[in-house]
Structures are given as structure tokens and as C-alpha cells.
Short mmCIF file of all heavy atoms in Angstrom, two decimals:
data_model
loop_
_atom_site.label_atom_id
_atom_site.label_comp_id
_atom_site.label_asym_id
_atom_site.label_seq_id
_atom_site.Cartn_x
_atom_site.Cartn_y
_atom_site.Cartn_z
N VAL A 220 179.71 -75.22 -99.82
CA VAL A 220 180.55 -76.27 -99.08
C VAL A 220 181.23 -77.11 -100.18
O VAL A 220 180.64 -77.58 -101.11
CB VAL A 220 179.62 -77.21 -98.27
CG1 VAL A 220 180.47 -78.31 -97.62
CG2 VAL A 220 178.95 -76.45 -97.17
N GLU A 221 182.56 -77.21 -100.03
CA GLU A 221 183.32 -78.04 -100.95
C GLU A 221 182.86 -79.47 -100.91
O GLU A 221 182.54 -80.02 -99.77
CB GLU A 221 184.80 -78.00 -100.63
CG GLU A 221 185.42 -76.58 -100.65
CD GLU A 221 185.47 -75.95 -102.05
OE1 GLU A 221 185.47 -76.75 -103.02
OE2 GLU A 221 185.47 -74.73 -102.20
N ASP A 222 182.74 -80.12 -102.06
CA ASP A 222 182.21 -81.48 -102.10
C ASP A 222 182.98 -82.45 -101.21
O ASP A 222 182.37 -83.31 -100.54
CB ASP A 222 182.25 -82.00 -103.56
CG ASP A 222 181.18 -81.29 -104.42
OD1 ASP A 222 180.33 -80.62 -103.83
OD2 ASP A 222 181.27 -81.45 -105.64
N ASP A 223 184.29 -82.30 -101.13
CA ASP A 223 185.10 -83.19 -100.28
C ASP A 223 184.76 -83.03 -98.81
O ASP A 223 184.74 -83.96 -98.03
CB ASP A 223 186.59 -83.05 -100.53
CG ASP A 223 187.12 -81.64 -100.35
OD1 ASP A 223 186.25 -80.69 -100.41
OD2 ASP A 223 188.33 -81.49 -100.17
N LEU A 224 184.53 -81.73 -98.41
CA LEU A 224 184.17 -81.45 -97.01
C LEU A 224 182.78 -82.00 -96.68
O LEU A 224 182.57 -82.53 -95.57
CB LEU A 224 184.25 -79.95 -96.75
CG LEU A 224 185.56 -79.26 -96.87
CD1 LEU A 224 185.46 -77.77 -96.60
CD2 LEU A 224 186.59 -79.87 -95.90
N LEU A 225 181.86 -81.89 -97.61
CA LEU A 225 180.51 -82.44 -97.40
C LEU A 225 180.59 -83.98 -97.26
O LEU A 225 179.97 -84.56 -96.38
CB LEU A 225 179.62 -82.08 -98.55
CG LEU A 225 178.21 -82.68 -98.61
CD1 LEU A 225 177.46 -82.29 -97.41
CD2 LEU A 225 177.49 -82.27 -99.88
N GLN A 226 181.37 -84.58 -98.14
CA GLN A 226 181.43 -86.03 -98.11
C GLN A 226 182.13 -86.55 -96.89
O GLN A 226 181.86 -87.68 -96.40
CB GLN A 226 182.27 -86.51 -99.39
CG GLN A 226 181.44 -86.31 -100.66
CD GLN A 226 182.23 -86.29 -101.94
OE1 GLN A 226 183.39 -86.82 -101.98
NE2 GLN A 226 181.70 -85.76 -103.01
N GLU A 227 183.04 -85.79 -96.28
CA GLU A 227 183.75 -86.17 -95.06
C GLU A 227 182.78 -86.36 -93.92
O GLU A 227 182.92 -87.24 -93.04
CB GLU A 227 184.78 -85.12 -94.69
CG GLU A 227 186.06 -85.24 -95.43
CD GLU A 227 187.08 -84.18 -94.98
OE1 GLU A 227 186.85 -83.60 -93.89
OE2 GLU A 227 188.06 -83.92 -95.77
N VAL A 228 181.75 -85.55 -93.78
CA VAL A 228 180.79 -85.59 -92.69
C VAL A 228 179.54 -86.34 -92.98
O VAL A 228 178.72 -86.62 -92.14
CB VAL A 228 180.45 -84.21 -92.11
CG1 VAL A 228 181.71 -83.48 -91.66
CG2 VAL A 228 179.69 -83.36 -93.17
N LEU A 229 179.28 -86.61 -94.29
CA LEU A 229 178.01 -87.15 -94.70
C LEU A 229 177.79 -88.61 -94.24
O LEU A 229 178.71 -89.45 -94.37
CB LEU A 229 177.93 -87.17 -96.21
CG LEU A 229 176.55 -87.16 -96.91
CD1 LEU A 229 175.71 -85.96 -96.47
CD2 LEU A 229 176.67 -87.11 -98.43
N ALA A 230 176.63 -88.86 -93.63
CA ALA A 230 176.29 -90.18 -93.16
C ALA A 230 175.27 -90.79 -94.07
O ALA A 230 174.30 -90.15 -94.52
CB ALA A 230 175.79 -90.13 -91.73
N SER A 231 175.40 -92.08 -94.35
CA SER A 231 174.46 -92.81 -95.23
C SER A 231 173.15 -93.22 -94.55
O SER A 231 172.22 -93.56 -95.14
CB SER A 231 175.14 -93.94 -95.87
OG SER A 231 175.62 -94.87 -94.90
N SER A 232 173.23 -93.25 -93.19
CA SER A 232 172.05 -93.71 -92.44
C SER A 232 171.95 -92.85 -91.14
O SER A 232 172.88 -92.20 -90.72
CB SER A 232 172.13 -95.15 -92.09
OG SER A 232 173.29 -95.46 -91.35
N LEU A 233 170.74 -92.91 -90.58
CA LEU A 233 170.48 -92.13 -89.32
C LEU A 233 171.13 -92.83 -88.18
O LEU A 233 170.80 -94.00 -87.88
CB LEU A 233 168.94 -91.96 -89.21
CG LEU A 233 168.43 -91.12 -88.04
CD1 LEU A 233 168.93 -89.68 -88.23
CD2 LEU A 233 166.89 -91.13 -88.06
N ASP A 234 172.00 -92.14 -87.41
CA ASP A 234 172.66 -92.79 -86.27
C ASP A 234 172.99 -91.67 -85.25
O ASP A 234 173.84 -90.87 -85.48
CB ASP A 234 173.93 -93.49 -86.71
CG ASP A 234 174.54 -94.29 -85.61
OD1 ASP A 234 174.16 -94.17 -84.41
OD2 ASP A 234 175.50 -95.02 -85.89
N PHE A 235 172.27 -91.68 -84.16
CA PHE A 235 172.51 -90.66 -83.14
C PHE A 235 173.68 -90.97 -82.15
O PHE A 235 173.91 -90.24 -81.27
CB PHE A 235 171.22 -90.38 -82.31
CG PHE A 235 170.18 -89.63 -83.09
CD1 PHE A 235 168.98 -90.28 -83.48
CD2 PHE A 235 170.37 -88.28 -83.34
CE1 PHE A 235 168.04 -89.54 -84.16
CE2 PHE A 235 169.42 -87.54 -84.05
CZ PHE A 235 168.26 -88.16 -84.46
N ASP A 236 174.31 -92.17 -82.40
CA ASP A 236 175.41 -92.56 -81.53
C ASP A 236 176.74 -92.03 -82.02
O ASP A 236 177.73 -92.24 -81.34
CB ASP A 236 175.46 -94.04 -81.40
CG ASP A 236 174.26 -94.61 -80.66
OD1 ASP A 236 173.80 -93.94 -79.72
OD2 ASP A 236 173.72 -95.70 -81.03
N LYS A 237 176.77 -91.35 -83.16
CA LYS A 237 178.05 -90.83 -83.68
C LYS A 237 177.90 -89.48 -84.40
O LYS A 237 176.73 -89.19 -84.90
CB LYS A 237 178.76 -91.85 -84.51
CG LYS A 237 178.03 -92.33 -85.77
CD LYS A 237 178.81 -93.35 -86.55
CE LYS A 237 178.11 -93.81 -87.81
NZ LYS A 237 178.89 -94.82 -88.55
N ASP A 238 178.90 -88.73 -84.47
CA ASP A 238 178.84 -87.47 -85.17
C ASP A 238 178.68 -87.71 -86.68
O ASP A 238 179.06 -88.74 -87.16
CB ASP A 238 180.13 -86.62 -84.89
CG ASP A 238 180.43 -86.49 -83.44
OD1 ASP A 238 179.40 -86.57 -82.64
OD2 ASP A 238 181.52 -86.22 -83.07
N GLY A 239 178.20 -86.69 -87.33
CA GLY A 239 178.04 -86.81 -88.80
C GLY A 239 176.73 -86.18 -89.27
O GLY A 239 175.94 -85.77 -88.42
N LEU A 240 176.60 -86.02 -90.56
CA LEU A 240 175.40 -85.28 -91.12
C LEU A 240 174.60 -86.32 -91.98
O LEU A 240 175.08 -86.85 -92.91
CB LEU A 240 175.83 -84.14 -92.00
CG LEU A 240 174.72 -83.39 -92.76
CD1 LEU A 240 173.77 -82.77 -91.84
CD2 LEU A 240 175.33 -82.36 -93.74
N PHE A 241 173.36 -86.51 -91.56
CA PHE A 241 172.41 -87.22 -92.34
C PHE A 241 171.38 -86.24 -92.91
O PHE A 241 170.85 -85.42 -92.13
CB PHE A 241 171.73 -88.29 -91.48
CG PHE A 241 170.68 -89.08 -92.20
CD1 PHE A 241 171.05 -90.02 -93.15
CD2 PHE A 241 169.32 -88.90 -92.02
CE1 PHE A 241 170.10 -90.79 -93.85
CE2 PHE A 241 168.35 -89.65 -92.67
CZ PHE A 241 168.75 -90.57 -93.59
N VAL A 242 171.11 -86.30 -94.16
CA VAL A 242 170.15 -85.36 -94.73
C VAL A 242 168.80 -86.05 -95.08
O VAL A 242 168.86 -87.27 -95.53
CB VAL A 242 170.71 -84.62 -96.01
CG1 VAL A 242 171.90 -83.76 -95.63
CG2 VAL A 242 171.09 -85.58 -97.06
N SER A 243 167.73 -85.38 -94.94
CA SER A 243 166.42 -86.04 -95.09
C SER A 243 165.33 -85.01 -95.39
O SER A 243 165.42 -83.85 -94.96
CB SER A 243 166.10 -86.82 -93.81
OG SER A 243 164.75 -87.35 -93.90
N ASP A 244 164.27 -85.46 -96.05
CA ASP A 244 163.08 -84.72 -96.23
C ASP A 244 161.91 -85.30 -95.48
O ASP A 244 160.75 -84.87 -95.68
CB ASP A 244 162.73 -84.56 -97.74
CG ASP A 244 162.47 -85.94 -98.40
OD1 ASP A 244 162.66 -86.97 -97.78
OD2 ASP A 244 162.10 -85.94 -99.59
N ALA A 245 162.21 -86.23 -94.63
CA ALA A 245 161.16 -86.97 -93.77
C ALA A 245 161.17 -86.39 -92.37
O ALA A 245 162.11 -86.41 -91.69
CB ALA A 245 161.43 -88.44 -93.77
N LEU A 246 160.01 -85.79 -92.04
CA LEU A 246 159.90 -85.14 -90.74
C LEU A 246 160.18 -86.08 -89.57
O LEU A 246 160.75 -85.65 -88.54
CB LEU A 246 158.57 -84.52 -90.60
CG LEU A 246 158.30 -83.51 -89.37
CD1 LEU A 246 159.28 -82.36 -89.44
CD2 LEU A 246 156.85 -83.04 -89.36
N GLN A 247 159.77 -87.35 -89.70
CA GLN A 247 159.96 -88.30 -88.59
C GLN A 247 161.45 -88.48 -88.29
O GLN A 247 161.82 -88.92 -87.12
CB GLN A 247 159.30 -89.63 -88.89
CG GLN A 247 159.88 -90.42 -90.08
CD GLN A 247 159.12 -90.13 -91.37
OE1 GLN A 247 158.54 -89.04 -91.49
NE2 GLN A 247 159.13 -91.07 -92.25
N ASP A 248 162.33 -88.15 -89.20
CA ASP A 248 163.76 -88.39 -88.97
C ASP A 248 164.36 -87.45 -87.95
O ASP A 248 165.39 -87.68 -87.33
CB ASP A 248 164.57 -88.32 -90.26
CG ASP A 248 164.39 -89.55 -91.17
OD1 ASP A 248 163.92 -90.56 -90.64
OD2 ASP A 248 164.65 -89.44 -92.33
N ILE A 249 163.71 -86.29 -87.76
CA ILE A 249 164.16 -85.33 -86.80
C ILE A 249 163.44 -85.37 -85.42
O ILE A 249 163.70 -84.57 -84.55
CB ILE A 249 164.14 -83.85 -87.38
CG1 ILE A 249 162.69 -83.38 -87.58
CG2 ILE A 249 164.90 -83.72 -88.65
CD1 ILE A 249 162.57 -81.89 -87.91
N ALA A 250 162.56 -86.34 -85.34
CA ALA A 250 161.71 -86.44 -84.09
C ALA A 250 162.55 -86.69 -82.84
O ALA A 250 162.10 -86.32 -81.73
CB ALA A 250 160.68 -87.53 -84.27
N HIS A 251 163.70 -87.32 -82.99
CA HIS A 251 164.53 -87.68 -81.78
C HIS A 251 165.62 -86.63 -81.55
O HIS A 251 166.44 -86.86 -80.67
CB HIS A 251 165.10 -89.05 -81.97
CG HIS A 251 164.09 -90.11 -81.98
ND1 HIS A 251 163.37 -90.54 -80.87
CD2 HIS A 251 163.64 -90.89 -83.00
CE1 HIS A 251 162.54 -91.52 -81.24
NE2 HIS A 251 162.67 -91.73 -82.47
N CYS A 252 165.65 -85.54 -82.24
CA CYS A 252 166.58 -84.49 -81.95
C CYS A 252 166.07 -83.65 -80.80
O CYS A 252 164.94 -83.70 -80.38
CB CYS A 252 166.70 -83.54 -83.18
SG CYS A 252 167.42 -84.36 -84.62
N ASN A 253 166.98 -82.91 -80.19
CA ASN A 253 166.62 -82.08 -79.02
C ASN A 253 167.02 -80.62 -79.23
O ASN A 253 166.66 -79.73 -78.39
CB ASN A 253 167.22 -82.64 -77.69
CG ASN A 253 168.70 -82.75 -77.77
OD1 ASN A 253 169.43 -82.14 -78.60
ND2 ASN A 253 169.23 -83.66 -76.94
N THR A 254 167.70 -80.29 -80.35
CA THR A 254 168.07 -78.94 -80.68
C THR A 254 167.78 -78.73 -82.13
O THR A 254 168.33 -79.35 -83.01
CB THR A 254 169.55 -78.72 -80.44
OG1 THR A 254 169.92 -79.09 -79.04
CG2 THR A 254 169.96 -77.26 -80.62
N TYR A 255 166.83 -77.79 -82.40
CA TYR A 255 166.39 -77.45 -83.69
C TYR A 255 166.84 -76.13 -84.14
O TYR A 255 166.52 -75.12 -83.40
CB TYR A 255 164.85 -77.63 -83.77
CG TYR A 255 164.36 -78.98 -83.50
CD1 TYR A 255 164.03 -79.32 -82.13
CD2 TYR A 255 164.20 -80.00 -84.44
CE1 TYR A 255 163.56 -80.61 -81.83
CE2 TYR A 255 163.78 -81.18 -84.13
CZ TYR A 255 163.43 -81.56 -82.83
OH TYR A 255 163.05 -82.82 -82.52
N ILE A 256 167.52 -76.00 -85.26
CA ILE A 256 168.03 -74.74 -85.74
C ILE A 256 167.38 -74.41 -87.07
O ILE A 256 167.54 -75.08 -88.01
CB ILE A 256 169.58 -74.74 -85.85
CG1 ILE A 256 170.20 -75.06 -84.52
CG2 ILE A 256 170.09 -73.43 -86.37
CD1 ILE A 256 171.68 -75.29 -84.54
N VAL A 257 166.61 -73.34 -87.10
CA VAL A 257 165.80 -72.95 -88.23
C VAL A 257 166.57 -71.93 -89.09
O VAL A 257 166.89 -70.83 -88.61
CB VAL A 257 164.45 -72.38 -87.80
CG1 VAL A 257 163.63 -71.98 -89.01
CG2 VAL A 257 163.70 -73.47 -86.97
N THR A 258 166.82 -72.29 -90.35
CA THR A 258 167.57 -71.38 -91.28
C THR A 258 166.81 -71.12 -92.59
O THR A 258 167.45 -70.90 -93.59
CB THR A 258 168.93 -72.00 -91.59
OG1 THR A 258 168.77 -73.20 -92.32
CG2 THR A 258 169.72 -72.28 -90.31
N VAL A 259 165.51 -71.18 -92.54
CA VAL A 259 164.71 -70.98 -93.76
C VAL A 259 164.78 -69.47 -94.25
O VAL A 259 165.00 -68.65 -93.37
CB VAL A 259 163.30 -71.45 -93.62
CG1 VAL A 259 163.22 -72.92 -93.29
CG2 VAL A 259 162.60 -70.66 -92.50
N PRO A 260 164.52 -69.23 -95.45
CA PRO A 260 164.57 -67.82 -95.92
C PRO A 260 163.36 -67.07 -95.44
O PRO A 260 162.29 -67.53 -95.11
CB PRO A 260 164.53 -67.93 -97.46
CG PRO A 260 163.84 -69.31 -97.70
CD PRO A 260 164.31 -70.21 -96.55
N THR A 261 163.58 -65.72 -95.33
CA THR A 261 162.50 -64.79 -94.97
C THR A 261 162.51 -63.67 -96.02
O THR A 261 163.10 -62.62 -95.86
CB THR A 261 162.69 -64.17 -93.56
OG1 THR A 261 164.08 -63.84 -93.41
CG2 THR A 261 162.34 -65.14 -92.50
N PRO A 262 161.78 -63.95 -97.13
CA PRO A 262 161.80 -62.97 -98.26
C PRO A 262 160.83 -61.82 -98.07
O PRO A 262 160.16 -61.69 -97.00
CB PRO A 262 161.32 -63.88 -99.42
CG PRO A 262 160.45 -64.91 -98.76
CD PRO A 262 161.05 -65.16 -97.44
N THR A 263 160.69 -61.00 -99.11
CA THR A 263 159.64 -59.97 -99.14
C THR A 263 158.78 -60.23 -100.33
O THR A 263 159.17 -60.85 -101.31
CB THR A 263 160.26 -58.58 -99.25
OG1 THR A 263 161.13 -58.47 -100.41
CG2 THR A 263 161.09 -58.24 -97.99
N ASP A 264 157.54 -59.70 -100.29
CA ASP A 264 156.65 -59.84 -101.50
C ASP A 264 156.92 -58.71 -102.52
O ASP A 264 157.88 -57.95 -102.36
CB ASP A 264 155.19 -59.86 -101.05
CG ASP A 264 154.74 -58.53 -100.40
OD1 ASP A 264 155.41 -57.48 -100.55
OD2 ASP A 264 153.69 -58.55 -99.73
N LYS A 265 156.07 -58.68 -103.56
CA LYS A 265 156.27 -57.73 -104.61
C LYS A 265 156.18 -56.27 -104.14
O LYS A 265 156.72 -55.32 -104.80
CB LYS A 265 155.26 -57.96 -105.76
CG LYS A 265 153.87 -57.77 -105.37
CD LYS A 265 152.97 -58.01 -106.58
CE LYS A 265 151.45 -57.73 -106.19
NZ LYS A 265 150.57 -57.97 -107.38
N ASN A 266 155.54 -56.09 -103.03
CA ASN A 266 155.43 -54.76 -102.39
C ASN A 266 156.47 -54.53 -101.29
O ASN A 266 156.37 -53.56 -100.50
CB ASN A 266 154.02 -54.51 -101.88
CG ASN A 266 152.97 -54.55 -102.97
OD1 ASN A 266 153.14 -53.94 -103.97
ND2 ASN A 266 151.93 -55.31 -102.70
N ASN A 267 157.43 -55.39 -101.27
CA ASN A 267 158.56 -55.31 -100.22
C ASN A 267 158.11 -55.52 -98.81
O ASN A 267 158.80 -55.03 -97.89
CB ASN A 267 159.37 -54.00 -100.45
CG ASN A 267 160.01 -53.92 -101.77
OD1 ASN A 267 160.65 -54.91 -102.24
ND2 ASN A 267 159.88 -52.75 -102.44
#
């Protein structure tokens, strides 16, 4: 993501009343969401 595009949508605080992206490592911040999209990696081990 180009830095200017990221900065355009980036929100400095949590606000569900307007569009934008707030980033967090605190689980409680996503407690009021209703749609969860999981994009974590699914790797293989040394034996594939």
C-alpha cells in the first residue's frame, strides 16, 4: 500500500461513526465489530 493511500484512510482513534482505518494490537478494540475477516498466513512445516 502506498504511504499516501494508507495515510488517507488512517484514523488516529477508534470511531465506529465514520469510515476509516484504525490499527490496533488490542483485542478489546475489535469487540464492537460485527464482521471479522481473517487473513492470517497458513504455512507448511519442514515436512511440507
Side-chain angles (χ1 to χ4, degrees):
V220 177
E221 302 292 336
D222 289 347
D223 57 339
L224 296 178
L225 174 61
Q226 291 161 18
E227 279 179 20
V228 300
L229 204 58
S231 57
S232 60
L233 187 59
D234 188 351
F235 286 110
D236 292 326
K237 59 182 181 181
D238 306 338
L240 175 64
F241 179 74
V242 297
S243 175
D244 60 353
L246 191 61
Q247 63 266 25
D248 286 342
I249 66 172
H251 296 289
C252 294
N253 54 23
T254 306
Y255 299 90
I256 300 175
V257 179
T258 65
V259 297
T261 43
T263 57
D264 64 17
K265 64 179 182 180
N266 297 313
N267 296 315

